[in-house]
């Protein structure tokens, strides 16, 4: 049987290159990995022999093993992969991560999470030097998978656990502050919020009927909004949105405006949801803030043009410090108190 000489062509070895160049195998290795350790004459001999033999250089995986690192940082979103590109908050955060990756000369690997049983295995097998985890639920199995790798890891905004410290603002304190602005002179306040758990059920709850909240950010912000409301717990409602998107905020708010006891104040857990509520208010012919006050969270690029009162935080800076921590460096600052309420025209004096 004739041998296939096409795609099965054997890769030349480093030793063969060394013999063809008349140098030692170590000189070949240094030419590719530490060129400052060989003379320009030797390097040219090696590269000429490599071209003649069709040798592309050491295999990247082999170089990584020798260095003890892969050269890539893993980011686990805990959301559909398109979330990284669709959500303004996630995009800002990832921009900060990528800034550090570029400065450190490492790649950025997005580790997809689908909610399937294979998620933990995918995380455990990811070829990365460390992990940055976007905030998720307390019971998400990827948290154990990340800490089980033994690699440096950091989670944005929580939940915090041994081996997985968190970087982020004090969501409860910030929610209490923005809540007091949102609920000023309100009688029928509403929180337009994130999912309570990984089931992501869309629901409307009164404050005295909100059960266990497994998403750390949702829980802490709800606690702050509840603290800000001075009236009976049952009078503060929570509209749970399954996704953080402007159309979800618009559709849920529209339903509430048409129902009995429409809200006269909406504190949203994101600018996206708040902007949706503003759209719904305009469609319903409501005056903002006279008929309904609205607040958001994150001070995205669309917040100022809309006149939206919101919470500002430096998500890009937080992303950068998360990346540094996952690469074994010390974060540059603490973000717990690095937030502020930006008051604009969508809230009452």
């Amino acid at each position: 049987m004739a041998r296939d000489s096409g795609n099965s062509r054997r890769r030349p070895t480093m030793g063969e290159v060394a013999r063809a160049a008349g140098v030692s195998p170590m000189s070949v290795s240094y030419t590719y990995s530490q060129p400052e350790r060989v003379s320009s004459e030797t390097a040219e001999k090696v590269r000429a022999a490599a071209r003649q033999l069709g040798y592309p250089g050491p295999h990247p995986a082999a170089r990584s093993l020798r260095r003890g690192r892969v050269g890539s940082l893993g980011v686990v979103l805990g959301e559909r992969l398109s979330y990284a590109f669709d959500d303004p908050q996630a995009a800002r955060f990832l921009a900060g991560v990528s800034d550090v990756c570029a400065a450190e000369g490492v790649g950025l690997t997005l580790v997809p999470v689908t909610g399937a049983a294979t998620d933990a295995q995918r995380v455990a097998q990811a070829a990365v030097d460390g992990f940055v985890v976007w905030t998720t639920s307390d019971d998400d199995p990827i948290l154990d998978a990340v800490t089980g790798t033994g690699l440096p890891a950091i989670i944005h905004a929580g939940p915090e656990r041994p081996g997985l410290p968190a970087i982020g603002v004090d969501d409860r304190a910030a929610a209490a502050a923005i809540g007091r602005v949102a609920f000023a002179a309100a009688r029928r306040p509403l929180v337009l919020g994130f999912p309570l758990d990984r089931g992501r059920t869309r629901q409307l709850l009164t404050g005295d009927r909100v059960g266990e909240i497994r998403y750390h950010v949702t829980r802490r912000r709800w606690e702050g909004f509840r603290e800000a409301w001075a009236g009976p717990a049952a009078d503060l409602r929570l509209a749970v949105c399954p996704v953080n998107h402007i159309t979800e905020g618009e559709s849920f708010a529209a339903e509430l405006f048409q129902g009995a006891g429409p809200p006269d104040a909406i504190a949203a857990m994101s600018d996206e949801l708040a902007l949706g509520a503003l759209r719904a208010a305009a469609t319903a012919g409501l005056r903002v803030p006279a008929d309904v006050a609205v607040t958001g969270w994150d001070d995205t690029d669309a917040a100022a043009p809309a006149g939206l009162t919101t919470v500002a935080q430096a998500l890009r800076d937080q992303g950068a410090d998360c990346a540094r921590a996952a690469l074994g460096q010390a974060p540059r600052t603490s973000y717990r108190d690095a937030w502020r309420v930006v008051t604009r025209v969508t809230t009452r004096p």
Side-chain angles (χ1 to χ4, degrees):
M1 181 182 295
R3 175 177 294 180
D4 179 9
S5 59
N7 293 334
S8 61
R9 182 181 178 184
R10 185 177 66 82
R11 176 191 178 98
T13 67
M14 189 178 293
E16 290 171 337
V17 174
R19 286 191 294 273
V23 300
S24 69
M26 186 62 72
S27 294
V28 177
S29 176
Y30 284 156
T31 296
Y32 288 97
S33 61
Q34 301 179 58
E36 71 279 1
R37 299 191 64 170
V38 298
S39 67
S40 57
E41 181 183 359
T42 297
E44 180 52 38
K45 286 181 179 179
V46 169
R47 296 191 186 283
R51 287 193 296 269
Q52 183 180 2
L53 296 174
Y55 177 68
H59 195 281
R63 290 201 302 266
S64 296
L65 288 173
R66 286 195 295 273
R67 292 196 308 263
R69 57 178 294 189
V70 176
S72 187
L73 179 63
V75 176
V76 184
L77 278 174
E79 301 275 355
R80 64 196 185 282
L81 198 55
S82 61
Y83 182 84
F85 310 99
D86 295 339
D87 184 84
Q89 292 91 332
R92 278 189 181 184
F93 179 81
L94 286 171
V97 175
S98 65
D99 287 343
V100 172
C101 287
E104 297 295 326
V106 300
L108 177 60
T109 301
L110 292 179
V111 183
V113 173
T114 63
T118 56
D119 286 345
Q121 182 181 6
R122 190 179 302 109
V123 168
Q125 294 178 345
V128 297
D129 296 309
F131 287 101
V132 172
V133 183
W134 183 256
T135 183
T136 186
S137 64
D138 302 334
D139 59 345
D140 194 331
I142 66 168
L143 298 177
D144 288 333
V146 167
T147 56
T149 65
L151 295 171
I154 193 84
I155 186 167
H156 178 246
E160 194 169 356
R161 58 169 58 190
L164 192 61
I167 285 178
V169 302
D170 185 339
D171 283 287
R172 177 169 180 162
I178 191 75
R180 285 189 284 271
V181 176
F183 302 150
R187 293 177 298 162
R188 300 179 303 278
L190 175 89
V191 173
L192 200 56
F194 295 151
L196 305 186
D197 53 42
R198 291 192 296 146
R200 295 179 176 269
T201 303
R202 188 179 193 268
Q203 54 189 320
L204 179 63
L205 304 166
T206 56
D208 58 340
R209 295 297 180 94
V210 177
E212 183 180 13
I213 301 177
R214 294 190 172 182
Y215 274 102
H216 179 83
V217 167
T218 308
R219 179 171 63 249
R220 296 295 287 170
R221 292 184 187 180
W222 169 247
E223 289 170 351
F225 287 131
R226 194 174 57 186
E227 177 184 325
W229 172 240
D235 290 349
L236 178 62
R237 293 179 292 172
L238 174 61
V240 181
C241 299
V243 293
N244 178 37
H245 197 278
I246 190 169
T247 56
E248 180 62 32
E250 181 178 12
S251 63
F252 214 147
E255 291 178 19
L256 295 168
F257 289 145
Q258 295 170 5
D264 59 0
I266 295 178
M269 291 190 184
S270 75
D271 285 350
E272 293 297 288
L273 297 177
L275 293 169
L278 289 176
R279 280 188 187 178
T283 301
L286 298 175
R287 298 168 299 162
V288 177
D291 298 324
V292 57
V294 179
T295 62
W297 196 295
D298 282 324
D299 198 23
T300 56
D301 292 341
L308 180 65
T309 295
T310 186
V311 173
Q313 61 172 324
L315 282 173
R316 187 165 189 152
D317 291 344
Q318 292 174 41
D321 260 0
C322 281
R324 293 187 187 99
L327 292 173
Q329 304 173 21
R332 293 185 177 178
T333 187
S334 170
Y335 292 93
R336 183 173 176 80
D337 300 318
W339 57 268
R340 60 191 176 91
V341 174
V342 181
T343 305
R344 297 192 178 103
V345 301
T346 60
T347 46
R348 304 178 181 99

